[in-house]
Amino acid sequence: MSEIKKDDSEAPDNTEAPKSSKAPNNIGRAISKNAMILGVFALISTGLIAITHLLTKDKIALEVELSLIRQLSQMIPPDDYTNAVYRDCIVIKDPSYLGSNEPQKLYRMRNPDSDYAVLMTSIAPDGYSGKINLAIAISAQGKILGVNVLSHQETPGLGDKIERHKSNWLDQFDGLSINNPTEKNWKVKKDGGQFDALTGATITPRAVIKAVYNGLNFYAKNSQQVFNMPNNCKQ
Amino acid sequence: MSNELSHSTILKNGLWENNTALVQLLGLCPLLAVTGSLINGLGLGIATTFVLVGSNLTVSLIRNHIPKEIRIPIFVMLIASFVTNIQLLMNAFTYELYLILGIFIPLIVTNCAIIGRAEAFASRNTPLPSFIDGLAQGLGFTLVLVVLGALREFVGQGTVLDGAHLLFGDWAKSLTMSFYLTDQKFLFAILPPGAFIGLGVLIAIKNRIQKN
């Protein structure tokens, strides 16, 4: 450190020759010193993020779960079923219908003599800026009771109108099922389907519509098993 | 340098004389993207102010310990880790607010005003003035976001403060003012061209006031 400094201060007075003979050594030293400092800062900043991540991980998971439960009561009146839905849950995984390899959750709502509905999480992998996490409520007969967006990164002011409190776009799905409408109508109007797009955003609605349709397909394929599987969500 | 600027000068600079958005023209990407409504503008403004204050303070504290040659990458790392930490903490402890502001937080990284202040002010001043500078610049930025958001919201869909309950809770629903009702929104104001023209108008007004 001191040597580098000394050299700098002397530089203007010195002739070129002695400086250039010393330079490579000093440059090397300066580079390695700066690299060290950068490395230390990189370690500190990533370390801080890692610590924050570890400290907040469980709390975030809990908040996500709580929010899902709050949203469920908006989609299906709690009086319509009798079981404790939050403890009646299975883990599902199906990359071709649920948008990713990540395990998703499926909550089951029942009445004493019949199965009532399911609430499943799913991912629309092809949003405008990344994944869109969805919650889809489907009745035991395969009708959509409600769709909600759990989290997304769509453009503020355009794609984020899929959020329920910003517009009623999601209401279009209510009451639909896998054959109503037929497959070719599960698209935005622009692509020949029956769904409204959003002003200035077509990719976002496309992604959501596809994911909801895939979710219905998953349920149609597995509707027998999902109500009979034993609980296996970690609580 | 820190002795030359009084705190009130720093405040005045940030809010008016050297306003981030109207004079320095920094941070235009998030500014133009989210000012479709007053509340969106306010949300981004709050989040940005938060990060600005934090990054200015941190940079000022470590300014004597970092070599000049590599200060920029260090600032970038600091700001990025700051933003990520804030995002995680908000996600964990203010989940409802995070759902609303969450999408704005990654946008803050694209705001060159933050590294601009770190470089131009915080790296040359002691922590207290840097803190005040961050606050002033952040508030100045927020002010422009709010005015531009209100302008575009008013012209575009005839309301002001639509969606206030997202930020302030349900009581704020009554704050929404509806001036005229329309089925057909005036898209020009809501989409990006309206943002450019709105900002141009604001800059013109500011220059006019300053001339007199």
Side-chain angles (χ1 to χ4, degrees):
Chain A
M1 171 85 195
S2 61
E3 208 171 316
I4 296 171
K5 234 184 185 168
K6 199 177 137 210
D7 207 56
D8 275 352
S9 60
E10 280 174 1
D13 304 325
N14 278 358
T15 49
E16 281 294 308
K19 195 187 161 201
S20 61
S21 67
K22 262 182 174 181
N25 191 14
N26 281 342
I27 288 174
R29 216 178 284 175
I31 289 176
S32 52
K33 183 181 151 246
N34 284 349
M36 281 279 285
I37 295 177
L38 263 183
V40 168
F41 270 98
L43 266 179
I44 294 176
S45 43
T46 36
L48 275 177
I49 294 176
I51 292 170
T52 319
H53 171 71
L54 283 177
L55 290 176
T56 53
K57 199 174 55 173
D58 296 337
K59 177 90 172 107
I60 291 172
L62 182 74
E63 289 289 345
V64 170
E65 183 109 25
L66 285 175
S67 135
L68 183 71
I69 287 163
R70 271 194 302 272
Q71 302 206 6
L72 173 63
S73 60
Q74 286 168 16
M75 289 192 275
I76 303 175
D79 295 341
D80 285 3
Y81 52 89
T82 52
N83 65 326
V85 60
Y86 320 125
R87 267 170 247 133
D88 200 343
C89 156
I90 57 172
V91 173
I92 52 178
K93 202 171 151 183
D94 189 337
S96 50
Y97 287 124
L98 302 176
S100 82
N101 254 324
E102 290 169 38
Q104 304 293 327
K105 284 183 174 177
L106 185 146
Y107 294 87
R108 301 171 287 192
M109 284 150 271
R110 314 166 194 265
N111 283 316
D113 46 350
S114 65
D115 300 328
Y116 181 68
V118 298
L119 176 80
M120 51 190 269
T121 60
S122 176
I123 288 178
D126 40 10
Y128 189 69
S129 19
K131 294 177 196 165
I132 304 171
N133 287 298
L134 298 168
I136 310 167
I138 304 172
S139 76
Q141 290 74 37
K143 255 190 184 174
I144 294 182
L145 298 173
V147 177
N148 250 353
V149 172
L150 297 175
S151 64
H152 70 88
Q153 278 111 39
E154 300 304 289
T155 319
L158 299 172
D160 71 339
K161 297 232 170 61
I162 48 172
E163 285 175 36
R164 190 165 284 281
H165 50 242
K166 293 205 170 133
S167 84
N168 53 7
W169 186 81
L170 285 172
D171 293 346
Q172 293 183 83
F173 293 106
D174 294 356
L176 302 184
S177 60
I178 191 164
N179 296 316
N180 166 37
T182 48
E183 184 177 358
K184 69 175 170 52
N185 282 321
W186 278 92
K187 285 176 184 150
V188 287
K189 280 179 183 152
K190 205 179 186 174
D191 300 339
Q194 72 161 44
F195 292 92
D196 291 326
L198 292 165
T199 308
T202 314
I203 292 170
T204 311
R206 260 185 208 146
V208 175
I209 292 165
K210 202 167 112 194
V212 172
Y213 185 65
N214 282 340
L216 277 175
N217 268 306
F218 174 85
Y219 179 76
K221 266 188 141 186
N222 300 291
S223 58
Q224 296 301 316
Q225 297 102 294
V226 291
F227 280 103
N228 299 328
M229 279 169 70
N231 280 349
N232 59 0
C233 291
K234 264 186 281 171
Q235 288 294 334
Chain B
M1 183 173 175
S2 61
N3 297 329
E4 292 167 23
L5 287 169
S6 71
H7 294 168
S8 61
T9 319
I10 299 175
L11 268 176
K12 204 176 150 208
N13 267 341
L15 290 174
W16 184 255
E17 301 283 343
N18 195 19
N19 187 290
T20 312
L22 295 181
V23 181
Q24 302 175 56
L25 296 182
L26 289 178
L28 292 190
C29 159
L31 179 119
L32 297 171
V34 305
T35 51
S37 75
L38 192 158
I39 289 298
N40 276 0
L42 187 61
L44 178 72
I46 294 171
T48 307
T49 307
F50 215 50
V51 174
L52 249 176
V53 170
S55 83
N56 259 13
L57 199 59
T58 328
V59 166
S60 169
L61 282 172
I62 59 157
R63 72 187 189 288
N64 295 327
H65 306 285
I66 45 179
K68 212 172 79 221
E69 298 82 8
I70 52 166
R71 66 190 189 287
I72 301 286
I74 289 181
F75 294 164
V76 171
M77 268 194 296
L78 278 176
I79 293 167
S81 89
F82 208 79
V83 169
T84 315
N85 275 323
I86 286 189
Q87 187 174 14
L88 284 171
L89 288 171
M90 281 183 69
N91 195 346
F93 297 103
T94 55
Y95 190 72
E96 293 297 314
L97 193 64
Y98 172 77
L99 288 183
I100 300 148
L101 294 188
I103 35 174
F104 300 129
I105 296 177
L107 275 178
I108 296 174
V109 181
T110 68
N111 192 337
C112 40
I114 294 173
I115 195 159
R117 287 331 282 174
E119 164 73 0
F121 196 95
S123 66
R124 297 167 195 177
N125 288 283
T126 47
L128 182 64
S130 302
F131 175 84
I132 295 172
D133 179 71
L135 196 65
Q137 294 286 339
L139 289 179
F141 188 60
T142 309
L143 200 69
V144 176
L145 284 168
V146 166
V147 173
L148 188 57
L151 195 75
R152 289 174 68 193
E153 193 185 337
F154 177 72
V155 178
Q157 56 182 36
T159 61
V160 170
L161 277 168
D162 185 27
H165 60 286
L166 301 179
L167 218 50
F168 301 118
D170 276 340
W171 64 269
K173 268 186 179 151
S174 55
L175 287 179
T176 304
M177 288 174 270
S178 228
F179 292 93
Y180 57 91
L181 283 174
T182 167
D183 289 337
Q184 196 60 49
K185 291 178 175 179
F186 186 43
L187 282 181
F188 180 71
I190 296 173
L191 294 177
F196 279 103
I197 290 174
L199 183 67
V201 169
L202 289 187
I203 295 173
I205 293 174
K206 180 188 182 289
N207 288 346
R208 178 83 204 190
I209 296 174
Q210 227 161 11
K211 239 181 184 177
N212 292 340

